[in-house]
Amino acid sequence: MGVKAREGSRTYPGVDPSELDARRERFEALAPSVIDGVRRYLARRTDPATADDVLSETLLVCWRRLDDVPDAPLPWAYGVARNCLANAARGDRRRTRLAARLAVVDPPRPVPAAEAPDTDLTEALARLRTAEAEVLRLWAWEDLGPTEIGAVLGISANAASIRLHRAKGTLRDELRKLDASVGHEQSTEGARP
Amino acid sequence: MNDDDLRERLRVADPSASLPRLTPELTANLVEDAMTTTTSIPTSGRWKVLLVAAVVLATAGLGWFFAGTMLPGRTVGPTASTQPAVVRLTATTDTAKCRPPEAATLDGSADFAFAGTVTDVSGASVTLTVTHVYRGQAAGQVQVSLDGNSESLAGGDVERGAAYLISSAQGSVLGCGYSGAADTPGLERLFTEAF
């Protein structure tokens, strides 16, 4: 049995209506900027069906924890989305399989980069540890600095900065290795009669 | 390859680049949905909830039986049991459509509510030592198994020593702002008002 709220009811016992209005106003002002950022964050990390679910869930958490939302809401909201996404990933396998099937039935829209995908980069990112790849994504895709990355991951700005620095180095190394192996294959092919 | 080049190469591969712009209508719908919500426990978790409820009832029943036969005339309460019971709960909130929590709803729904400190986190199970029982039987320890999505007790975030306020109904933790870290703004007040 869960907590069933009364559908359609707009009264909140114990809550001053004017306070509720103020709360709604704050949320309505805050949400649009958060929605677009979180939507992109999720599109980069999961299938469209899960992204939709987790976006709704993230917004619910933002609404319920409106008093906790800091002045810079986006990194905080990314952190919430990250937790919700991790929870979704821990959900039962049946749901995961269903989400995968839905993703196939309703395939993601074609991505322009797919025409000329940077396979080396994809491969290099895949070779990185999950935590390293994630700081790079937060840095390049979400356009965050170390302080904000720290806020998303729940670590200090200093730790985020160190992790980011190392991750960049590792990615460069992996890209170099891949370039070298491709170059080697090409030169071998060229030398064949 | 300098930082700018590296960042640019990553940006070109951004999978969200083709995501269409959000329409104002869709944004408004999402905002409204978040503020007007309901919650339910998923059907997949119900049998587990029933099982856990059965275990809790059996434990409680045994407690009452022994209290009744061995300690005649004494009531079962926090001071009555020499060996505090271990209560097992599940935390499942797969479907999270919630309204702001209300004390009246909490009062009407919860059959067990307590304040506790996390003493052990192992895998999908969190053990808390009870520091105060707001409602329900006396318990020394509560084990919460995190079944799937639990926003109120997100597995990765639960740390040993952290204080929580948890309410449950029939062995299932109430999410949606009715359980969470003790320092969650408004949660303690909600508990005090409800119980």
Side-chain angles (χ1 to χ4, degrees):
Chain A
M1 195 187 82
V3 179
K4 289 267 181 197
R6 287 169 298 282
E7 196 90 61
S9 164
R10 292 299 176 98
T11 55
Y12 294 76
V15 178
D16 180 358
S18 64
E19 194 185 311
L20 184 64
D21 282 348
R23 210 178 140 82
R24 288 179 67 97
E25 258 174 46
R26 264 174 65 208
F27 187 69
E28 279 164 355
L30 166 93
S33 65
V34 168
I35 288 174
D36 200 50
V38 171
R39 185 171 154 263
R40 291 188 182 279
Y41 174 93
L42 293 168
R44 288 160 180 148
R45 288 163 179 85
T46 187
D47 62 89
T50 309
D52 283 350
D53 284 352
V54 176
L55 174 59
S56 299
E57 207 179 320
T58 304
L59 289 172
L60 287 170
V61 174
C62 291
W63 166 241
R64 288 206 303 273
R65 296 182 55 191
L66 196 55
D67 296 337
D68 296 347
V69 179
D71 291 339
L74 212 42
W76 183 88
Y78 288 147
V80 173
R82 182 170 175 268
N83 281 336
C84 291
L85 190 58
N87 284 338
R90 278 195 290 268
D92 64 49
R93 287 173 182 276
R94 190 180 59 79
R95 275 184 64 227
T96 310
R97 281 200 298 273
L98 178 64
R101 275 204 297 276
L102 286 174
V104 175
V105 175
D106 180 17
R109 287 159 287 277
V111 180
E115 289 164 19
D118 190 345
T119 49
D120 278 3
L121 180 69
T122 311
E123 170 71 20
L125 272 176
R127 289 183 185 183
L128 262 55
R129 288 190 298 114
T130 314
E132 279 185 330
E134 184 58 14
V135 287
L136 287 170
R137 291 190 195 103
L138 289 169
W139 170 64
W141 291 350
E142 272 78 35
D143 209 12
L144 302 183
T147 308
E148 295 157 315
I149 292 173
V152 177
L153 300 178
I155 58 177
S156 70
N158 193 35
S161 180
I162 293 166
R163 197 182 287 184
L164 179 61
H165 180 74
R166 283 187 188 149
K168 285 178 198 166
T170 317
L171 183 64
R172 281 196 195 95
D173 288 348
E174 291 298 340
L175 285 170
R176 257 196 299 274
K177 280 186 214 163
L178 285 162
D179 277 352
S181 66
V182 169
H184 177 71
E185 278 167 25
Q186 281 171 347
S187 63
T188 312
E189 273 174 30
R192 276 182 195 145
Chain B
M1 189 185 286
N2 65 26
D3 273 13
D4 289 344
D5 296 337
L6 193 67
R7 201 174 200 175
E8 191 49 39
R9 191 166 173 183
L10 279 159
R11 278 179 180 160
V12 171
D14 180 354
S16 83
S18 66
L19 206 61
R21 289 191 74 81
L22 259 182
T23 60
E25 291 78 23
L26 189 55
T27 305
N29 286 345
L30 284 164
V31 171
E32 192 57 33
D33 280 355
M35 295 189 295
T36 319
T37 51
T38 60
T39 184
S40 70
I41 296 281
T43 49
S44 64
R46 271 185 195 144
W47 69 270
K48 288 178 193 160
V49 172
L50 286 172
L51 187 68
V52 172
V55 171
V56 172
L57 282 175
T59 313
L62 278 174
W64 275 312
F65 175 75
F66 283 117
T69 53
M70 299 173 77
L71 299 165
R74 295 189 66 175
T75 53
V76 179
T79 54
S81 62
T82 47
Q83 281 215 314
V86 176
V87 175
R88 289 180 183 82
L89 303 172
T90 37
T92 52
T93 52
D94 275 84
T95 310
K97 286 230 154 200
C98 309
R99 299 157 58 99
E102 299 165 5
T105 312
L106 182 57
D107 182 29
S109 307
D111 54 24
F112 182 52
F114 70 98
T117 308
V118 176
T119 48
D120 190 40
V121 183
S122 61
S125 172
V126 177
T127 306
L128 300 105
T129 297
V130 176
T131 51
H132 179 69
V133 176
Y134 287 87
R135 173 175 289 175
Q137 64 166 346
Q141 285 201 319
V142 176
Q143 246 176 32
V144 182
S145 66
L146 306 172
D147 179 24
N149 285 345
S150 173
E151 176 259 314
S152 51
L153 265 170
D157 294 332
V158 179
E159 279 179 15
R160 210 173 283 189
Y164 276 83
L165 289 168
I166 293 176
S167 61
S168 69
Q170 297 179 24
S172 178
V173 169
L174 300 176
C176 281
Y178 290 98
S179 299
D183 58 2
T184 306
L187 188 60
E188 193 174 357
R189 198 180 66 190
L190 186 78
F191 270 55
T192 315
E193 278 174 25
F195 306 117

